[in-house]
Amino acid sequence: MNISELLRLLQTEHDETAARADNLREQIERLTTALAETEARVAELAATRKVIDGLIPPDHAAAPAETATATVYQRIVTTFNEHPFGPHVRGVEDRTG
């Protein structure tokens, strides 16, 4: 094997490895974006659960799931009907809790 052949093989391997590195960077970027979106959704769900948990009165904590869900749902609907919040729901917990 002469030097020219060795250099050509090294360049080929370099190009393939660089392409793989670029591909991995793109995957990392997509995964990082997906992770950030998923973490934001988890935070939204936790906040929603906190609000809904705050709507359930302590004396109804042992109520069957369907009854408790219907009660919470009705309280939310009533609150929105009495206090139109528009696209914002801040203050719902204060008015229904």
Side-chain angles (χ1 to χ4, degrees):
M1 184 178 295
N2 63 31
I3 299 244
S4 296
E5 181 67 17
L6 180 61
L7 289 174
R8 187 188 65 72
L9 290 172
L10 283 172
Q11 185 63 48
T12 300
E13 185 173 349
H14 175 271
D15 293 345
E16 291 170 356
T17 303
R20 178 157 165 68
D22 289 341
N23 184 17
L24 290 171
R25 283 185 201 94
E26 290 172 7
Q27 288 179 18
I28 290 169
E29 186 176 329
R30 284 192 306 272
L31 290 171
T32 300
T33 299
L35 177 60
E37 291 169 354
T38 302
E39 287 175 335
R41 182 65 180 146
V42 167
E44 290 171 357
L45 291 170
T48 301
R49 181 176 181 88
K50 181 179 178 183
V51 170
I52 291 174
D53 283 346
L55 297 174
I56 300 172
D59 58 332
H60 288 91
E66 287 183 13
T67 305
T69 301
T71 302
V72 171
Y73 174 77
Q74 187 56 49
R75 291 179 70 191
I76 291 171
V77 170
T78 300
T79 299
F80 274 100
N81 288 336
E82 292 174 357
H83 306 279
F85 297 98
H88 306 287
V89 295
R90 290 189 178 131
V92 171
E93 181 177 12
D94 296 337
R95 289 183 168 80
T96 60

PDB file of all heavy atoms in Angstrom, residues 56-95:
ATOM      1  N   ILE A  56     -61.523  19.622  45.043  1.00  0.00           N
ATOM      2  CA  ILE A  56     -62.231  18.560  45.749  1.00  0.00           C
ATOM      3  C   ILE A  56     -62.265  18.901  47.235  1.00  0.00           C
ATOM      4  O   ILE A  56     -61.229  19.036  47.869  1.00  0.00           O
ATOM      5  CB  ILE A  56     -61.544  17.201  45.535  1.00  0.00           C
ATOM      6  CG1 ILE A  56     -61.512  16.863  44.046  1.00  0.00           C
ATOM      7  CG2 ILE A  56     -62.251  16.108  46.327  1.00  0.00           C
ATOM      8  CD1 ILE A  56     -60.688  15.643  43.716  1.00  0.00           C
ATOM      9  N   PRO A  57     -63.466  19.062  47.793  1.00  0.00           N
ATOM     10  CA  PRO A  57     -63.544  19.366  49.223  1.00  0.00           C
ATOM     11  C   PRO A  57     -63.062  18.176  50.050  1.00  0.00           C
ATOM     12  O   PRO A  57     -63.227  17.027  49.646  1.00  0.00           O
ATOM     13  CB  PRO A  57     -65.026  19.634  49.460  1.00  0.00           C
ATOM     14  CG  PRO A  57     -65.742  19.209  48.235  1.00  0.00           C
ATOM     15  CD  PRO A  57     -64.747  19.001  47.146  1.00  0.00           C
ATOM     16  N   PRO A  58     -62.453  18.447  51.205  1.00  0.00           N
ATOM     17  CA  PRO A  58     -61.917  17.362  52.037  1.00  0.00           C
ATOM     18  C   PRO A  58     -62.962  16.317  52.423  1.00  0.00           C
ATOM     19  O   PRO A  58     -62.651  15.150  52.513  1.00  0.00           O
ATOM     20  CB  PRO A  58     -61.392  18.077  53.283  1.00  0.00           C
ATOM     21  CG  PRO A  58     -61.260  19.508  52.898  1.00  0.00           C
ATOM     22  CD  PRO A  58     -62.226  19.753  51.778  1.00  0.00           C
ATOM     23  N   ASP A  59     -64.209  16.710  52.630  1.00  0.00           N
ATOM     24  CA  ASP A  59     -65.231  15.752  53.030  1.00  0.00           C
ATOM     25  C   ASP A  59     -65.665  14.841  51.899  1.00  0.00           C
ATOM     26  O   ASP A  59     -66.344  13.845  52.121  1.00  0.00           O
ATOM     27  CB  ASP A  59     -66.448  16.470  53.613  1.00  0.00           C
ATOM     28  CG  ASP A  59     -67.061  17.464  52.645  1.00  0.00           C
ATOM     29  OD1 ASP A  59     -66.320  17.996  51.784  1.00  0.00           O
ATOM     30  OD2 ASP A  59     -68.269  17.710  52.745  1.00  0.00           O
ATOM     31  N   HIS A  60     -65.249  15.153  50.678  1.00  0.00           N
ATOM     32  CA  HIS A  60     -65.576  14.299  49.534  1.00  0.00           C
ATOM     33  C   HIS A  60     -64.381  13.496  49.055  1.00  0.00           C
ATOM     34  O   HIS A  60     -64.430  12.886  48.005  1.00  0.00           O
ATOM     35  CB  HIS A  60     -66.099  15.147  48.373  1.00  0.00           C
ATOM     36  CG  HIS A  60     -67.458  15.681  48.611  1.00  0.00           C
ATOM     37  ND1 HIS A  60     -67.673  16.895  49.190  1.00  0.00           N
ATOM     38  CD2 HIS A  60     -68.685  15.148  48.384  1.00  0.00           C
ATOM     39  CE1 HIS A  60     -68.959  17.114  49.300  1.00  0.00           C
ATOM     40  NE2 HIS A  60     -69.602  16.068  48.821  1.00  0.00           N
ATOM     41  N   ALA A  61     -63.323  13.482  49.804  1.00  0.00           N
ATOM     42  CA  ALA A  61     -62.101  12.796  49.382  1.00  0.00           C
ATOM     43  C   ALA A  61     -62.323  11.303  49.181  1.00  0.00           C
ATOM     44  O   ALA A  61     -61.690  10.687  48.346  1.00  0.00           O
ATOM     45  CB  ALA A  61     -60.979  13.029  50.390  1.00  0.00           C
ATOM     46  N   ALA A  62     -63.233  10.709  49.933  1.00  0.00           N
ATOM     47  CA  ALA A  62     -63.469   9.272  49.837  1.00  0.00           C
ATOM     48  C   ALA A  62     -64.616   8.935  48.891  1.00  0.00           C
ATOM     49  O   ALA A  62     -65.026   7.790  48.809  1.00  0.00           O
ATOM     50  CB  ALA A  62     -63.764   8.702  51.225  1.00  0.00           C
ATOM     51  N   ALA A  63     -65.135   9.909  48.157  1.00  0.00           N
ATOM     52  CA  ALA A  63     -66.248   9.664  47.247  1.00  0.00           C
ATOM     53  C   ALA A  63     -65.791   8.792  46.085  1.00  0.00           C
ATOM     54  O   ALA A  63     -64.625   8.815  45.707  1.00  0.00           O
ATOM     55  CB  ALA A  63     -66.786  10.989  46.715  1.00  0.00           C
ATOM     56  N   PRO A  64     -66.710   8.020  45.507  1.00  0.00           N
ATOM     57  CA  PRO A  64     -66.356   7.213  44.339  1.00  0.00           C
ATOM     58  C   PRO A  64     -65.828   8.103  43.225  1.00  0.00           C
ATOM     59  O   PRO A  64     -66.211   9.265  43.098  1.00  0.00           O
ATOM     60  CB  PRO A  64     -67.680   6.560  43.930  1.00  0.00           C
ATOM     61  CG  PRO A  64     -68.568   6.667  45.125  1.00  0.00           C
ATOM     62  CD  PRO A  64     -68.090   7.856  45.913  1.00  0.00           C
ATOM     63  N   ALA A  65     -64.975   7.549  42.393  1.00  0.00           N
ATOM     64  CA  ALA A  65     -64.300   8.327  41.350  1.00  0.00           C
ATOM     65  C   ALA A  65     -65.287   9.029  40.426  1.00  0.00           C
ATOM     66  O   ALA A  65     -65.114  10.194  40.099  1.00  0.00           O
ATOM     67  CB  ALA A  65     -63.371   7.422  40.555  1.00  0.00           C
ATOM     68  N   GLU A  66     -66.328   8.347  39.973  1.00  0.00           N
ATOM     69  CA  GLU A  66     -67.285   8.961  39.063  1.00  0.00           C
ATOM     70  C   GLU A  66     -67.981  10.147  39.712  1.00  0.00           C
ATOM     71  O   GLU A  66     -68.144  11.197  39.105  1.00  0.00           O
ATOM     72  CB  GLU A  66     -68.320   7.931  38.604  1.00  0.00           C
ATOM     73  CG  GLU A  66     -67.779   6.918  37.629  1.00  0.00           C
ATOM     74  CD  GLU A  66     -68.853   5.963  37.159  1.00  0.00           C
ATOM     75  OE1 GLU A  66     -70.046   6.226  37.395  1.00  0.00           O
ATOM     76  OE2 GLU A  66     -68.487   4.959  36.541  1.00  0.00           O
ATOM     77  N   THR A  67     -68.411   9.997  40.955  1.00  0.00           N
ATOM     78  CA  THR A  67     -69.103  11.069  41.659  1.00  0.00           C
ATOM     79  C   THR A  67     -68.164  12.249  41.875  1.00  0.00           C
ATOM     80  O   THR A  67     -68.534  13.401  41.641  1.00  0.00           O
ATOM     81  CB  THR A  67     -69.650  10.577  43.016  1.00  0.00           C
ATOM     82  OG1 THR A  67     -70.466   9.440  42.781  1.00  0.00           O
ATOM     83  CG2 THR A  67     -70.439  11.652  43.713  1.00  0.00           C
ATOM     84  N   ALA A  68     -66.952  11.970  42.318  1.00  0.00           N
ATOM     85  CA  ALA A  68     -65.982  13.042  42.555  1.00  0.00           C
ATOM     86  C   ALA A  68     -65.669  13.766  41.258  1.00  0.00           C
ATOM     87  O   ALA A  68     -65.602  14.999  41.228  1.00  0.00           O
ATOM     88  CB  ALA A  68     -64.713  12.473  43.175  1.00  0.00           C
ATOM     89  N   THR A  69     -65.497  13.025  40.161  1.00  0.00           N
ATOM     90  CA  THR A  69     -65.202  13.637  38.870  1.00  0.00           C
ATOM     91  C   THR A  69     -66.362  14.497  38.411  1.00  0.00           C
ATOM     92  O   THR A  69     -66.161  15.630  37.956  1.00  0.00           O
ATOM     93  CB  THR A  69     -64.894  12.555  37.815  1.00  0.00           C
ATOM     94  OG1 THR A  69     -63.790  11.790  38.276  1.00  0.00           O
ATOM     95  CG2 THR A  69     -64.558  13.166  36.476  1.00  0.00           C
ATOM     96  N   ALA A  70     -67.574  13.999  38.545  1.00  0.00           N
ATOM     97  CA  ALA A  70     -68.748  14.768  38.143  1.00  0.00           C
ATOM     98  C   ALA A  70     -68.871  16.030  38.978  1.00  0.00           C
ATOM     99  O   ALA A  70     -69.187  17.104  38.464  1.00  0.00           O
ATOM    100  CB  ALA A  70     -70.006  13.907  38.275  1.00  0.00           C
ATOM    101  N   THR A  71     -68.631  15.929  40.276  1.00  0.00           N
ATOM    102  CA  THR A  71     -68.715  17.085  41.167  1.00  0.00           C
ATOM    103  C   THR A  71     -67.671  18.124  40.781  1.00  0.00           C
ATOM    104  O   THR A  71     -67.983  19.315  40.676  1.00  0.00           O
ATOM    105  CB  THR A  71     -68.513  16.654  42.631  1.00  0.00           C
ATOM    106  OG1 THR A  71     -69.502  15.688  42.954  1.00  0.00           O
ATOM    107  CG2 THR A  71     -68.629  17.822  43.574  1.00  0.00           C
ATOM    108  N   VAL A  72     -66.441  17.705  40.587  1.00  0.00           N
ATOM    109  CA  VAL A  72     -65.373  18.626  40.200  1.00  0.00           C
ATOM    110  C   VAL A  72     -65.701  19.254  38.861  1.00  0.00           C
ATOM    111  O   VAL A  72     -65.574  20.472  38.682  1.00  0.00           O
ATOM    112  CB  VAL A  72     -64.003  17.913  40.151  1.00  0.00           C
ATOM    113  CG1 VAL A  72     -62.946  18.801  39.533  1.00  0.00           C
ATOM    114  CG2 VAL A  72     -63.592  17.479  41.534  1.00  0.00           C
ATOM    115  N   TYR A  73     -66.152  18.453  37.922  1.00  0.00           N
ATOM    116  CA  TYR A  73     -66.490  18.972  36.602  1.00  0.00           C
ATOM    117  C   TYR A  73     -67.584  20.026  36.708  1.00  0.00           C
ATOM    118  O   TYR A  73     -67.481  21.104  36.121  1.00  0.00           O
ATOM    119  CB  TYR A  73     -66.932  17.832  35.676  1.00  0.00           C
ATOM    120  CG  TYR A  73     -67.424  18.313  34.338  1.00  0.00           C
ATOM    121  CD1 TYR A  73     -66.523  18.727  33.364  1.00  0.00           C
ATOM    122  CD2 TYR A  73     -68.779  18.389  34.054  1.00  0.00           C
ATOM    123  CE1 TYR A  73     -66.959  19.182  32.140  1.00  0.00           C
ATOM    124  CE2 TYR A  73     -69.232  18.856  32.832  1.00  0.00           C
ATOM    125  CZ  TYR A  73     -68.313  19.246  31.881  1.00  0.00           C
ATOM    126  OH  TYR A  73     -68.743  19.710  30.667  1.00  0.00           O
ATOM    127  N   GLN A  74     -68.614  19.730  37.469  1.00  0.00           N
ATOM    128  CA  GLN A  74     -69.718  20.681  37.618  1.00  0.00           C
ATOM    129  C   GLN A  74     -69.244  21.979  38.263  1.00  0.00           C
ATOM    130  O   GLN A  74     -69.647  23.060  37.870  1.00  0.00           O
ATOM    131  CB  GLN A  74     -70.861  20.073  38.435  1.00  0.00           C
ATOM    132  CG  GLN A  74     -72.094  20.968  38.453  1.00  0.00           C
ATOM    133  CD  GLN A  74     -72.596  21.299  37.061  1.00  0.00           C
ATOM    134  OE1 GLN A  74     -72.765  20.429  36.217  1.00  0.00           O
ATOM    135  NE2 GLN A  74     -72.827  22.579  36.799  1.00  0.00           N
ATOM    136  N   ARG A  75     -68.348  21.877  39.257  1.00  0.00           N
ATOM    137  CA  ARG A  75     -67.829  23.085  39.901  1.00  0.00           C
ATOM    138  C   ARG A  75     -67.003  23.916  38.924  1.00  0.00           C
ATOM    139  O   ARG A  75     -67.070  25.150  38.933  1.00  0.00           O
ATOM    140  CB  ARG A  75     -66.998  22.711  41.126  1.00  0.00           C
ATOM    141  CG  ARG A  75     -67.886  22.148  42.258  1.00  0.00           C
ATOM    142  CD  ARG A  75     -67.099  21.763  43.461  1.00  0.00           C
ATOM    143  NE  ARG A  75     -66.606  22.985  44.106  1.00  0.00           N
ATOM    144  CZ  ARG A  75     -65.706  22.989  45.068  1.00  0.00           C
ATOM    145  NH1 ARG A  75     -65.187  21.858  45.491  1.00  0.00           N
ATOM    146  NH2 ARG A  75     -65.308  24.121  45.610  1.00  0.00           N
ATOM    147  N   ILE A  76     -66.236  23.254  38.081  1.00  0.00           N
ATOM    148  CA  ILE A  76     -65.444  23.973  37.081  1.00  0.00           C
ATOM    149  C   ILE A  76     -66.368  24.678  36.091  1.00  0.00           C
ATOM    150  O   ILE A  76     -66.189  25.866  35.790  1.00  0.00           O
ATOM    151  CB  ILE A  76     -64.468  23.021  36.355  1.00  0.00           C
ATOM    152  CG1 ILE A  76     -63.380  22.555  37.316  1.00  0.00           C
ATOM    153  CG2 ILE A  76     -63.855  23.700  35.124  1.00  0.00           C
ATOM    154  CD1 ILE A  76     -62.505  21.445  36.766  1.00  0.00           C
ATOM    155  N   VAL A  77     -67.367  23.968  35.590  1.00  0.00           N
ATOM    156  CA  VAL A  77     -68.316  24.560  34.636  1.00  0.00           C
ATOM    157  C   VAL A  77     -69.037  25.735  35.272  1.00  0.00           C
ATOM    158  O   VAL A  77     -69.160  26.808  34.671  1.00  0.00           O
ATOM    159  CB  VAL A  77     -69.317  23.490  34.137  1.00  0.00           C
ATOM    160  CG1 VAL A  77     -70.448  24.124  33.350  1.00  0.00           C
ATOM    161  CG2 VAL A  77     -68.596  22.455  33.286  1.00  0.00           C
ATOM    162  N   THR A  78     -69.499  25.568  36.490  1.00  0.00           N
ATOM    163  CA  THR A  78     -70.195  26.649  37.191  1.00  0.00           C
ATOM    164  C   THR A  78     -69.291  27.862  37.353  1.00  0.00           C
ATOM    165  O   THR A  78     -69.707  29.003  37.122  1.00  0.00           O
ATOM    166  CB  THR A  78     -70.685  26.169  38.575  1.00  0.00           C
ATOM    167  OG1 THR A  78     -71.574  25.069  38.376  1.00  0.00           O
ATOM    168  CG2 THR A  78     -71.395  27.272  39.320  1.00  0.00           C
ATOM    169  N   THR A  79     -68.050  27.622  37.728  1.00  0.00           N
ATOM    170  CA  THR A  79     -67.105  28.725  37.911  1.00  0.00           C
ATOM    171  C   THR A  79     -66.889  29.478  36.607  1.00  0.00           C
ATOM    172  O   THR A  79     -66.899  30.708  36.583  1.00  0.00           O
ATOM    173  CB  THR A  79     -65.759  28.200  38.451  1.00  0.00           C
ATOM    174  OG1 THR A  79     -66.001  27.597  39.716  1.00  0.00           O
ATOM    175  CG2 THR A  79     -64.754  29.319  38.602  1.00  0.00           C
ATOM    176  N   PHE A  80     -66.702  28.760  35.510  1.00  0.00           N
ATOM    177  CA  PHE A  80     -66.500  29.430  34.232  1.00  0.00           C
ATOM    178  C   PHE A  80     -67.750  30.194  33.797  1.00  0.00           C
ATOM    179  O   PHE A  80     -67.655  31.262  33.208  1.00  0.00           O
ATOM    180  CB  PHE A  80     -66.074  28.432  33.144  1.00  0.00           C
ATOM    181  CG  PHE A  80     -64.598  28.193  33.122  1.00  0.00           C
ATOM    182  CD1 PHE A  80     -64.062  27.066  33.723  1.00  0.00           C
ATOM    183  CD2 PHE A  80     -63.753  29.085  32.516  1.00  0.00           C
ATOM    184  CE1 PHE A  80     -62.706  26.848  33.715  1.00  0.00           C
ATOM    185  CE2 PHE A  80     -62.386  28.878  32.498  1.00  0.00           C
ATOM    186  CZ  PHE A  80     -61.857  27.754  33.098  1.00  0.00           C
ATOM    187  N   ASN A  81     -68.917  29.647  34.090  1.00  0.00           N
ATOM    188  CA  ASN A  81     -70.149  30.345  33.728  1.00  0.00           C
ATOM    189  C   ASN A  81     -70.337  31.612  34.552  1.00  0.00           C
ATOM    190  O   ASN A  81     -70.819  32.622  34.051  1.00  0.00           O
ATOM    191  CB  ASN A  81     -71.354  29.426  33.906  1.00  0.00           C
ATOM    192  CG  ASN A  81     -71.403  28.352  32.851  1.00  0.00           C
ATOM    193  OD1 ASN A  81     -70.844  28.504  31.772  1.00  0.00           O
ATOM    194  ND2 ASN A  81     -72.060  27.245  33.154  1.00  0.00           N
ATOM    195  N   GLU A  82     -69.961  31.576  35.817  1.00  0.00           N
ATOM    196  CA  GLU A  82     -70.145  32.726  36.700  1.00  0.00           C
ATOM    197  C   GLU A  82     -69.044  33.765  36.542  1.00  0.00           C
ATOM    198  O   GLU A  82     -69.262  34.940  36.758  1.00  0.00           O
ATOM    199  CB  GLU A  82     -70.207  32.263  38.154  1.00  0.00           C
ATOM    200  CG  GLU A  82     -71.445  31.468  38.478  1.00  0.00           C
ATOM    201  CD  GLU A  82     -71.416  30.893  39.883  1.00  0.00           C
ATOM    202  OE1 GLU A  82     -70.402  31.069  40.591  1.00  0.00           O
ATOM    203  OE2 GLU A  82     -72.412  30.254  40.267  1.00  0.00           O
ATOM    204  N   HIS A  83     -67.843  33.320  36.200  1.00  0.00           N
ATOM    205  CA  HIS A  83     -66.690  34.213  36.093  1.00  0.00           C
ATOM    206  C   HIS A  83     -65.964  33.937  34.785  1.00  0.00           C
ATOM    207  O   HIS A  83     -65.041  33.130  34.760  1.00  0.00           O
ATOM    208  CB  HIS A  83     -65.713  33.995  37.263  1.00  0.00           C
ATOM    209  CG  HIS A  83     -66.354  34.099  38.597  1.00  0.00           C
ATOM    210  ND1 HIS A  83     -66.605  35.298  39.188  1.00  0.00           N
ATOM    211  CD2 HIS A  83     -66.799  33.149  39.456  1.00  0.00           C
ATOM    212  CE1 HIS A  83     -67.179  35.097  40.373  1.00  0.00           C
ATOM    213  NE2 HIS A  83     -67.312  33.805  40.545  1.00  0.00           N
ATOM    214  N   PRO A  84     -66.372  34.584  33.700  1.00  0.00           N
ATOM    215  CA  PRO A  84     -65.691  34.311  32.424  1.00  0.00           C
ATOM    216  C   PRO A  84     -64.232  34.767  32.478  1.00  0.00           C
ATOM    217  O   PRO A  84     -63.949  35.927  32.696  1.00  0.00           O
ATOM    218  CB  PRO A  84     -66.487  35.110  31.402  1.00  0.00           C
ATOM    219  CG  PRO A  84     -67.249  36.122  32.192  1.00  0.00           C
ATOM    220  CD  PRO A  84     -67.417  35.581  33.581  1.00  0.00           C
ATOM    221  N   PHE A  85     -63.338  33.815  32.328  1.00  0.00           N
ATOM    222  CA  PHE A  85     -61.906  34.081  32.398  1.00  0.00           C
ATOM    223  C   PHE A  85     -61.298  34.259  31.018  1.00  0.00           C
ATOM    224  O   PHE A  85     -60.130  34.556  30.894  1.00  0.00           O
ATOM    225  CB  PHE A  85     -61.169  32.928  33.106  1.00  0.00           C
ATOM    226  CG  PHE A  85     -61.577  32.749  34.530  1.00  0.00           C
ATOM    227  CD1 PHE A  85     -62.508  31.797  34.889  1.00  0.00           C
ATOM    228  CD2 PHE A  85     -61.035  33.557  35.509  1.00  0.00           C
ATOM    229  CE1 PHE A  85     -62.881  31.637  36.196  1.00  0.00           C
ATOM    230  CE2 PHE A  85     -61.405  33.400  36.830  1.00  0.00           C
ATOM    231  CZ  PHE A  85     -62.327  32.444  37.174  1.00  0.00           C
ATOM    232  N   GLY A  86     -62.057  34.018  29.983  1.00  0.00           N
ATOM    233  CA  GLY A  86     -61.490  34.073  28.642  1.00  0.00           C
ATOM    234  C   GLY A  86     -60.500  32.928  28.485  1.00  0.00           C
ATOM    235  O   GLY A  86     -60.686  31.850  29.047  1.00  0.00           O
ATOM    236  N   PRO A  87     -59.427  33.168  27.734  1.00  0.00           N
ATOM    237  CA  PRO A  87     -58.471  32.083  27.504  1.00  0.00           C
ATOM    238  C   PRO A  87     -57.580  31.817  28.712  1.00  0.00           C
ATOM    239  O   PRO A  87     -56.779  30.913  28.694  1.00  0.00           O
ATOM    240  CB  PRO A  87     -57.640  32.588  26.322  1.00  0.00           C
ATOM    241  CG  PRO A  87     -57.722  34.075  26.439  1.00  0.00           C
ATOM    242  CD  PRO A  87     -59.095  34.377  27.006  1.00  0.00           C
ATOM    243  N   HIS A  88     -57.710  32.604  29.767  1.00  0.00           N
ATOM    244  CA  HIS A  88     -56.854  32.447  30.936  1.00  0.00           C
ATOM    245  C   HIS A  88     -57.634  31.784  32.059  1.00  0.00           C
ATOM    246  O   HIS A  88     -58.793  32.097  32.296  1.00  0.00           O
ATOM    247  CB  HIS A  88     -56.339  33.809  31.426  1.00  0.00           C
ATOM    248  CG  HIS A  88     -55.656  34.578  30.330  1.00  0.00           C
ATOM    249  ND1 HIS A  88     -54.421  34.224  29.856  1.00  0.00           N
ATOM    250  CD2 HIS A  88     -56.059  35.630  29.599  1.00  0.00           C
ATOM    251  CE1 HIS A  88     -54.092  35.053  28.894  1.00  0.00           C
ATOM    252  NE2 HIS A  88     -55.066  35.910  28.709  1.00  0.00           N
ATOM    253  N   VAL A  89     -57.014  30.859  32.773  1.00  0.00           N
ATOM    254  CA  VAL A  89     -57.701  30.151  33.839  1.00  0.00           C
ATOM    255  C   VAL A  89     -57.146  30.495  35.205  1.00  0.00           C
ATOM    256  O   VAL A  89     -57.525  29.889  36.200  1.00  0.00           O
ATOM    257  CB  VAL A  89     -57.674  28.622  33.631  1.00  0.00           C
ATOM    258  CG1 VAL A  89     -58.443  28.258  32.392  1.00  0.00           C
ATOM    259  CG2 VAL A  89     -56.256  28.109  33.586  1.00  0.00           C
ATOM    260  N   ARG A  90     -56.264  31.460  35.268  1.00  0.00           N
ATOM    261  CA  ARG A  90     -55.746  31.859  36.574  1.00  0.00           C
ATOM    262  C   ARG A  90     -56.919  32.379  37.394  1.00  0.00           C
ATOM    263  O   ARG A  90     -57.757  33.114  36.920  1.00  0.00           O
ATOM    264  CB  ARG A  90     -54.687  32.932  36.440  1.00  0.00           C
ATOM    265  CG  ARG A  90     -53.427  32.389  35.844  1.00  0.00           C
ATOM    266  CD  ARG A  90     -52.314  33.403  35.915  1.00  0.00           C
ATOM    267  NE  ARG A  90     -51.128  32.801  35.373  1.00  0.00           N
ATOM    268  CZ  ARG A  90     -50.360  33.366  34.468  1.00  0.00           C
ATOM    269  NH1 ARG A  90     -50.633  34.564  34.031  1.00  0.00           N
ATOM    270  NH2 ARG A  90     -49.314  32.730  34.014  1.00  0.00           N
ATOM    271  N   GLY A  91     -56.961  31.997  38.615  1.00  0.00           N
ATOM    272  CA  GLY A  91     -58.041  32.449  39.485  1.00  0.00           C
ATOM    273  C   GLY A  91     -59.143  31.430  39.639  1.00  0.00           C
ATOM    274  O   GLY A  91     -59.998  31.570  40.506  1.00  0.00           O
ATOM    275  N   VAL A  92     -59.166  30.399  38.798  1.00  0.00           N
ATOM    276  CA  VAL A  92     -60.195  29.367  38.916  1.00  0.00           C
ATOM    277  C   VAL A  92     -60.080  28.691  40.271  1.00  0.00           C
ATOM    278  O   VAL A  92     -61.082  28.497  40.962  1.00  0.00           O
ATOM    279  CB  VAL A  92     -60.075  28.322  37.784  1.00  0.00           C
ATOM    280  CG1 VAL A  92     -61.010  27.145  38.037  1.00  0.00           C
ATOM    281  CG2 VAL A  92     -60.382  28.959  36.448  1.00  0.00           C
ATOM    282  N   GLU A  93     -58.870  28.347  40.665  1.00  0.00           N
ATOM    283  CA  GLU A  93     -58.676  27.661  41.942  1.00  0.00           C
ATOM    284  C   GLU A  93     -59.179  28.518  43.091  1.00  0.00           C
ATOM    285  O   GLU A  93     -59.836  28.026  44.009  1.00  0.00           O
ATOM    286  CB  GLU A  93     -57.196  27.316  42.152  1.00  0.00           C
ATOM    287  CG  GLU A  93     -56.943  26.575  43.441  1.00  0.00           C
ATOM    288  CD  GLU A  93     -55.486  26.188  43.596  1.00  0.00           C
ATOM    289  OE1 GLU A  93     -54.626  26.671  42.852  1.00  0.00           O
ATOM    290  OE2 GLU A  93     -55.220  25.376  44.501  1.00  0.00           O
ATOM    291  N   ASP A  94     -58.918  29.811  43.051  1.00  0.00           N
ATOM    292  CA  ASP A  94     -59.352  30.702  44.117  1.00  0.00           C
ATOM    293  C   ASP A  94     -60.870  30.760  44.211  1.00  0.00           C
ATOM    294  O   ASP A  94     -61.430  30.846  45.309  1.00  0.00           O
ATOM    295  CB  ASP A  94     -58.819  32.124  43.894  1.00  0.00           C
ATOM    296  CG  ASP A  94     -57.294  32.179  43.958  1.00  0.00           C
ATOM    297  OD1 ASP A  94     -56.697  31.276  44.588  1.00  0.00           O
ATOM    298  OD2 ASP A  94     -56.718  33.099  43.368  1.00  0.00           O
ATOM    299  N   ARG A  95     -61.550  30.708  43.081  1.00  0.00           N
ATOM    300  CA  ARG A  95     -63.004  30.842  43.087  1.00  0.00           C
ATOM    301  C   ARG A  95     -63.723  29.519  43.312  1.00  0.00           C
ATOM    302  O   ARG A  95     -64.908  29.521  43.617  1.00  0.00           O
ATOM    303  CB  ARG A  95     -63.457  31.468  41.775  1.00  0.00           C
ATOM    304  CG  ARG A  95     -63.080  32.939  41.702  1.00  0.00           C
ATOM    305  CD  ARG A  95     -63.593  33.553  40.419  1.00  0.00           C
ATOM    306  NE  ARG A  95     -63.509  34.998  40.420  1.00  0.00           N
ATOM    307  CZ  ARG A  95     -62.431  35.698  40.183  1.00  0.00           C
ATOM    308  NH1 ARG A  95     -61.300  35.095  39.989  1.00  0.00           N
ATOM    309  NH2 ARG A  95     -62.464  37.006  40.175  1.00  0.00           N
TER     310      ARG A  95
END
